[in-house]
Amino acid sequence: MKEFYVDEKCPICSEPFREQDDIVICPECGAPYHRDCYKEQGSCIHTEKHGEYEWKGDKQILKERCENLHSARMKAISESDDEEIDVYRVTSLEEFREAMDKRLLKQQKDFPEVEEVTAEELIKFCGKNAAYYLPVFRDIAKYGKILKLNFAAFVFFPLHCFFRRMNLFGAITLFVIMSMMEARILLADSNDILGLTPEMASICTVLVMSVILAALVFVLMFFNYFYFRFAIKKIKNIKSEYASLSRQEILRRIAEAGRPSIFSGLAFGICAELVLSLAFQILNNYIGVAI
């Protein structure tokens, strides 16, 4: 019985249950707890709803949703003559994602191979966001539509670049922006030396800020294209390096290479900004600019 609750979360501490945990079950609603958590709480946290509440774990909820989806599709088939309707029978979140990937792959069946990289490989690389990126990649590959707004890349620059593992693209763009900020500082400090009038100084400042804005708009408009090229390059390298492995193992490695990471995104972003800030600070100290 205990295995039924493994990987479900304790309602009190929110930690998942493990096989070796001492688990107690509320006899009224069926909610599971770590024994120590229950002792500390003193009672079931759903006491006020007893009589009308029944605890359901994530696995049970997913199972019911999948069964509902299956029933709905079976009903659709019985009421339709469309032979293209797919039926998915899944019992886990991983199988559900695989089914959605297959559905997306079928929807994008006209996706052309790009430098021997397939739609299936791009889906694995993009992971959970494949439903957004694959149609964008198709437009790039088939119609040359390289301009597509990506507001996440714009609003969360440069973290979004590093989150998507596009470290070189993010670092170069960040360098351009911070260089313009440094240029603004140097101009402000060197007005008298350069003999700039207030009007000329204002124009220079506007030009510098325009370059910064242009860099951000560039990210907004072309991030998807560079991400597409980045994905193609990474997938080709993986397929070349691991050509002797099975197809499933190659797809697994592609998925790992493309999996976004909040931690590495934050870490790389902070390090990049610190390094550039330190470099410009050293430059300012060398030429005697006061900030």
Side-chain angles (χ1 to χ4, degrees), residues 9-239:
K9 293 182 179 180
C10 174
I12 294 177
C13 69
S14 297
E15 290 296 321
F17 295 113
R18 303 303 179 197
E19 290 185 4
Q20 66 273 18
D21 290 348
D22 188 5
I23 303 173
V24 295
I25 311 298
C26 173
E28 296 293 333
C29 65
Y33 300 91
H34 291 111
R35 186 178 294 276
D36 291 340
C37 293
Y38 187 83
K39 285 182 178 180
E40 184 178 347
Q41 181 73 17
S43 64
C44 175
I45 63 173
H46 305 295
T47 299
E48 294 182 357
K49 297 187 288 184
H50 281 170
E52 58 183 31
Y53 172 78
E54 179 185 0
W55 178 86
K56 292 182 180 180
D58 291 340
K59 290 189 288 187
Q60 185 178 353
I61 292 173
L62 175 61
K63 182 179 178 181
E64 290 180 357
R65 288 178 178 174
C66 291
E67 288 176 348
N68 291 337
L69 177 62
H70 176 72
S71 299
R73 288 195 170 274
M74 290 300 293
K75 182 180 179 181
I77 289 177
S78 66
E79 297 177 353
S80 173
D81 296 328
D82 187 357
E83 297 180 356
E84 295 296 319
I85 295 178
D86 293 317
V87 179
Y88 302 110
R89 182 72 173 181
V90 297
T91 58
S92 68
L93 183 58
E94 190 63 31
E95 289 182 7
F96 180 75
R97 287 175 179 168
E98 286 291 334
M100 293 302 99
D101 286 349
K102 290 178 181 177
R103 182 182 182 184
L104 177 60
L105 190 60
K106 188 169 184 178
Q107 291 173 345
Q108 301 294 327
K109 58 186 177 182
D110 61 336
F111 193 102
E113 282 194 10
V114 182
E115 299 177 23
E116 299 183 354
V117 173
T118 66
E120 181 183 20
E121 292 161 353
L122 286 168
I123 288 174
K124 292 297 182 183
F125 188 85
C126 295
K128 296 178 181 178
N129 296 102
Y132 166 78
Y133 280 110
L134 198 64
V136 174
F137 291 169
R138 181 197 59 196
D139 289 344
I140 294 173
K142 289 191 67 174
Y143 310 114
K145 296 181 179 180
I146 65 174
L147 194 157
K148 174 72 174 180
L149 304 185
N150 189 315
F151 289 98
F154 176 78
V155 174
F156 299 107
F157 177 85
L159 293 180
H160 187 77
C161 299
F162 302 134
F163 171 71
R164 282 282 160 191
R165 301 184 181 274
M166 294 180 61
N167 297 337
L168 181 61
F169 177 83
I172 291 175
T173 315
L174 181 62
F175 174 76
V176 171
I177 292 175
M178 293 189 70
S179 296
M180 290 300 99
M181 293 179 177
E182 174 68 10
R184 184 183 178 187
I185 293 172
L186 293 177
L187 282 171
D189 191 74
S190 307
N191 281 348
D192 295 336
I193 299 175
L194 297 174
L196 298 178
T197 64
E199 292 77 11
M200 293 174 63
S202 297
I203 292 173
C204 290
T205 299
V206 170
L207 289 175
V208 168
M209 296 306 295
S210 297
V211 173
I212 293 175
L213 180 60
L216 291 173
V217 172
F218 177 83
V219 172
L220 170 69
M221 297 172 64
F222 297 105
F223 176 87
N224 288 331
Y225 172 74
F226 283 96
Y227 184 51
F228 170 67
R229 297 308 313 172
F230 171 73
I232 295 294
K233 181 179 179 180
K234 291 290 289 186
I235 293 171
K236 286 177 64 179
N237 289 342
I238 291 172
K239 291 171 68 175

